Amino acid sequence: MTKRYWNITLAEMMEAGIHFGHGTRKWNPRMAPYISARRNGIHILNLTRTARFLSEACDLVFDAASKGKQLLIVGTKNKAADSVARAAIRARCHYVSKKWLGGMLTNWYTTETRLHKLRDLRTEQKKGRLDRLPKRDAAMLKRQLSHLETYLGGIKYMAGLPDIVIIVDQQEEYTALRECITLGIPTICLIDTNCDPDLADISIPANDDAIASIRLILNKLVFAICEGRSSYIRNS
């Protein structure tokens, strides 16, 4: 995998508050190598290490996108959901920004069945067939469509298991992370000072609560993915 320059600066990371960790009482000792100081009762992350691992993550997603591989972005907590959806749409990635349904990847057959149902119901609605059904049946199917769209809308075009999964909050998305580990799917994960850095393939030490921090990390990854997509199109 070729190393590239992604213009990741300490100044922009400081401005986004990426260096602010959790309180010193709420931490995982395995994060010690990624922490540079304590200040006013909170841990301060080492931004040099953040830049290094973010750069490695950008290289990985560029390489994957340049080969036409599928990427999935996961972030379901309120602070991350909108940023995740926007980033994924910009990068033409699949995404989960609402609730992660247990077994979404490990029980792919069931997920695929639900996706077929979602696509069928969308087709029926577009053709106006739902409105021609009895009101009670139409209402039931519309509720089902709304439910499927809410939880599976971001992966409705995912034809199989993703090649790489980007996870915004390790604690919040632990189920998704464990499914990836079980299936051997490479993961990139934002980790705050209360996380385990050894679980993901690439762990990016960063504030996972501040919207500006989440947005900056996603923007760098999205740029790399878009560059990779452009390379794939040029070489096709």
Side-chain angles (χ1 to χ4, degrees):
M1 188 169 63
T2 307
K3 287 186 177 293
R4 291 174 174 79
Y5 176 68
W6 297 109
N7 192 29
I8 300 164
T9 68
L10 294 179
E12 64 181 342
M13 289 193 290
M14 290 278 287
E15 188 177 349
I18 285 177
H19 56 301
F20 293 122
H22 285 289
T24 53
R25 292 182 181 179
K26 185 184 177 185
W27 78 303
N28 187 324
R30 290 185 179 179
M31 285 297 294
Y34 306 93
I35 294 169
S36 62
R38 297 182 183 189
R39 192 181 304 157
N40 298 326
I42 66 166
H43 279 124
I44 303 299
L45 289 161
N46 184 331
L47 290 182
T48 303
R49 304 210 75 181
T50 299
R52 173 192 157 191
F53 290 113
L54 178 54
S55 182
E56 285 183 13
C58 287
D59 286 336
L60 181 64
V61 296
F62 173 90
D63 193 54
S66 68
K67 294 174 183 175
K69 293 186 176 181
Q70 289 194 114
L71 289 93
L72 172 65
I73 305 177
V74 182
T76 62
K77 65 181 182 182
N78 290 336
K79 289 181 180 179
D82 287 344
S83 297
V84 163
R86 288 197 196 100
I89 291 166
R90 264 172 51 217
R92 301 196 300 281
C93 294
H94 310 292
Y95 67 95
V96 176
S97 62
K98 298 298 180 185
K99 181 182 177 182
W100 179 270
L101 303 176
M104 193 176 280
L105 297 180
T106 49
N107 194 359
W108 179 248
Y109 176 79
T110 299
T111 301
E112 207 168 25
T113 302
R114 289 171 175 166
L115 290 174
H116 282 307
K117 183 67 174 176
L118 170 59
R119 289 192 284 267
D120 288 346
L121 286 173
R122 279 167 59 88
T123 301
E124 294 293 300
Q125 186 181 50
K126 283 180 181 177
K127 292 182 177 179
R129 290 175 183 165
L130 295 185
D131 295 325
R132 294 199 290 269
L133 293 172
K135 284 186 178 180
R136 189 173 179 179
D137 294 341
M140 182 187 70
L141 290 174
K142 285 178 181 177
R143 278 196 305 272
Q144 191 176 2
L145 173 59
S146 176
H147 178 82
L148 290 170
E149 190 72 62
T150 297
Y151 296 109
L152 300 177
I155 63 167
K156 57 179 173 282
Y157 299 119
M158 198 160 81
L161 291 173
D163 297 293
I164 293 176
V165 177
I166 299 167
I167 295 172
V168 167
D169 183 324
Q170 186 190 93
Q171 296 278 318
E172 192 79 19
E173 316 304 341
Y174 187 72
T175 303
L177 180 58
R178 291 307 312 180
E179 289 190 30
C180 292
I181 292 169
T182 299
L183 295 168
I185 299 171
T187 52
I188 295 166
C189 196
L190 266 72
I191 54 164
D192 212 321
T193 53
N194 61 336
C195 297
D196 184 344
D198 300 326
L199 294 179
D201 292 271
I202 297 180
S203 292
I204 304 170
N207 181 342
D208 62 11
D209 290 320
I211 294 173
S213 172
I214 294 167
R215 201 169 284 159
L216 178 60
I217 299 290
L218 287 176
N219 282 344
K220 296 296 181 184
L221 293 172
V222 163
F223 178 77
I225 294 166
C226 290
E227 289 291 297
R229 298 258 189 244
S230 298
S231 174
Y232 177 71
I233 292 167
R234 284 195 304 271
N235 297 327
S236 295

